[in-house]
Amino acid sequence: HVRKVTKGNCQPHLDLVNADINDAVLLVLVSLLTNHPTITSVDLSANPLTEVSGSLILKMVEASPKITNVVLEDTYISKTLKLTISAGTRVNYMKQARLLERTLTKQSQRYEAAVLSVAKKKIDVLMTLHKQH
């Protein structure tokens, strides 16, 4: 029943809208998605999901820091549980943003060090040439 996996905005998204996913199917789906290496967003709207599924989705979100978006429109999951799941995805989003910031900072520092190293070598060459003349 997988409708599509897209990479909109570089974020792998699993679209399972109106795919007749019930609590039993969701149990299998959650086991596949928990700590999945690439999926960050899942739309499970318009499926007959209950509070049981909502609890499983919450556990998946808490165990999977890459899951930053779960859409649950037109399900039987309570508004309160949907809000709790949404709060969990926001926490994951912030964790991913901090991780990306640290990665970019490290890359920037390595780039700056490489540029400084090249500049120093060029200066050394110029100084050597200058001394020879």
Side-chain angles (χ1 to χ4, degrees):
H1 287 104
V2 175
R3 294 290 190 250
K4 60 185 166 184
V5 177
T6 60
K7 284 191 162 193
N9 299 328
C10 299
Q11 301 295 318
H13 173 75
L14 184 59
D15 182 348
L16 296 169
V17 175
N18 200 20
D20 294 322
I21 295 175
N22 59 27
D23 292 340
V25 174
L26 187 84
L27 182 61
V28 174
L29 182 65
V30 163
S31 70
L32 295 172
L33 291 177
T34 299
N35 289 313
H36 190 279
T38 59
I39 299 292
T40 62
S41 177
V42 182
D43 191 342
L44 292 162
S45 297
N47 284 293
L49 301 175
T50 68
E51 292 291 287
V52 171
S53 290
S55 295
L56 291 170
I57 292 166
L58 178 59
K59 288 178 184 176
M60 174 189 72
V61 166
E62 291 172 342
S64 306
K66 287 192 176 186
I67 301 288
T68 58
N69 185 46
V70 177
V71 184
L72 297 166
E73 299 299 319
D74 299 320
T75 64
Y76 301 114
I77 299 170
S78 70
K79 184 176 181 178
T80 302
L81 187 49
K82 286 179 187 178
L83 289 171
T84 304
I85 293 165
S86 180
T89 60
R90 280 194 304 278
V91 167
N92 287 352
Y93 180 84
M94 295 305 296
K95 286 179 184 177
Q96 292 301 309
R98 283 192 297 271
L99 180 62
L100 179 59
E101 181 181 26
R102 283 193 302 270
T103 300
L104 291 175
T105 299
K106 286 178 185 177
Q107 288 175 347
S108 176
Q109 289 169 344
R110 283 194 295 267
Y111 175 76
E112 289 173 13
V115 168
L116 288 174
S117 175
V118 168
K120 184 179 181 311
K121 288 177 184 175
K122 285 183 178 182
I123 290 171
D124 289 345
V125 168
L126 289 173
M127 293 296 285
T128 302
L129 289 174
H130 181 66
K131 287 179 185 178
Q132 291 175 354
H133 287 46

